[in-house]
Amino acid sequence: MNSIDRLNKLRDAVPSNIKIVAVSKTKPAASIELLYSKSGQRIFGENKVQELEAKHEILPTDIEWHFIGHLQTNKIKYIAPFVSLIQSVDSFRLLREINKEALKQNRIIPCLLQFYIASEEAKYGFSLEEAFLMLDNNLFHELSNISIKGVMGMATYTNDKQQIRTEFKTLLGYFELIKSRYFAQENDFCEISMGMTDDYLIAIEEGSTIVRIGSGIFGER
Ligand SMILES: *Cc1c(COP(=O)(O)O)cnc(C)c1O
């Protein structure tokens, strides 16, 4: 099967109200262009600033680029002019810097708060306590050029489906708690980005609104 067939199959398996981010990291621009022109795919995800910048420069301007990797503050400026959603906001400091760069671009940058839900050392993200500290801080409410659309998380890389399910349930719980405490009046706080190639079906069962699929579309990296 090629990437077009894999994407079509995936669309059959994913309810139409759930957004599919085609994670194109490490894949050439031509592979993105193919899905863009032949499958009408518009949302692509990248995890490296330089790679995203280079692809953005040569690909159609109506692609919605989602940034899904760890973002260093000194690199925000390169994607601030065009990024559609930064899914991987993992600190208050980063969010304040995104706000600064968004202000310079005279735009509001949509963001998700990334939560740490896995039992692995390496994964980035807020704990619930850290998120509360930020959301309770008056300075947070002065950030006029970012818009928090929801949460994102990655489950542990494991074959234990029950563990993965438990971690997604945790993320859904965080979403609901934060929504009721801080965003109850904001319909825009509605996204739960969870689920990748190996676990997206579980994620959808647990309430995902955005799945991020790389190898399941483009093939192995
Ligand atoms: C690479 C990546 C994905 C996609 O992973 P696949 O297993 O290839 O679907 C999703 N989310 C993030 C944050 C990633 O870095």
Side-chain angles (χ1 to χ4, degrees):
M1 252 200 295
N2 60 31
S3 63
I4 297 171
D5 295 337
R6 282 191 292 256
L7 177 55
N8 283 336
K9 246 186 102 179
L10 187 66
R11 284 176 177 157
D12 288 339
V14 173
S16 58
N17 57 326
I18 296 176
K19 295 186 193 80
I20 298 173
V21 178
V23 175
S24 46
K25 62 189 187 193
T26 77
K27 300 296 174 182
S31 304
I32 298 172
E33 160 65 27
L34 185 73
L35 288 185
Y36 175 92
S37 55
K38 301 281 188 258
S39 299
Q41 179 68 21
R42 289 295 178 271
I43 312 178
F44 292 90
E46 293 283 340
N47 68 342
K48 297 260 166 33
V49 167
Q50 266 178 318
E51 189 177 340
L52 171 53
E53 213 192 347
K55 288 172 176 172
H56 167 259
E57 214 153 273
I58 57 174
L59 285 162
T61 54
D62 63 338
I63 287 181
E64 292 176 38
W65 293 105
H66 288 198
F67 192 78
I68 61 171
H70 181 62
L71 183 55
Q72 289 171 283
T73 51
N74 60 339
K75 293 190 176 161
I76 302 165
K77 57 177 177 287
Y78 301 113
I79 61 170
F82 65 86
V83 71
S84 288
L85 181 65
I86 298 176
Q87 293 207 8
S88 43
V89 175
D90 56 9
S91 74
F92 191 16
R93 175 166 170 266
L94 177 61
L95 192 64
R96 288 198 308 261
E97 295 296 325
I98 293 170
N99 186 72
K100 265 191 211 164
E101 296 300 327
L103 192 60
K104 287 185 199 162
Q105 299 295 329
N106 193 27
R107 62 183 295 240
I108 292 172
I109 297 184
C111 295
L112 303 181
L113 303 180
Q114 180 173 359
F115 279 91
Y116 178 84
I117 53 171
S119 65
E120 289 160 331
E121 275 298 311
K123 300 214 164 133
Y124 291 101
F126 285 97
S127 66
L128 190 59
E129 292 71 25
E130 288 167 342
F132 282 166
L133 274 177
M134 175 176 80
L135 296 163
D136 284 328
N137 191 323
N138 287 333
L139 293 174
F140 171 79
H141 300 277
E142 291 170 12
L143 303 179
S144 53
N145 288 67
I146 52 96
S147 171
I148 307 292
K149 305 291 187 191
V151 302
M152 183 271 237
M154 284 168 89
T156 304
Y157 186 71
T158 172
N159 290 323
D160 184 344
K161 292 200 161 30
Q162 193 48 52
Q163 181 179 354
I164 292 169
R165 189 176 294 280
T166 301
E167 291 172 358
F168 288 153
K169 278 187 200 298
T170 298
L171 186 60
L172 177 66
Y174 290 176
F175 169 83
E176 286 172 343
L177 202 53
I178 289 171
K179 171 125 185 122
S180 67
R181 270 212 213 182
Y182 302 97
F183 297 97
Q185 315 303 330
E186 291 168 50
N187 293 333
D188 273 7
F189 187 88
C190 62
E191 304 290 6
I192 305 168
S193 174
M194 58 187 187
M196 313 183 2
T197 297
D198 290 334
D199 56 21
Y200 73 91
L201 289 174
I202 303 174
I204 289 169
E205 286 171 2
E206 299 304 331
S208 174
T209 67
I210 300 175
V211 292
R212 311 177 308 270
I213 312 289
S215 49
I217 295 172
F218 291 101
E220 292 304 317
R221 281 184 296 275

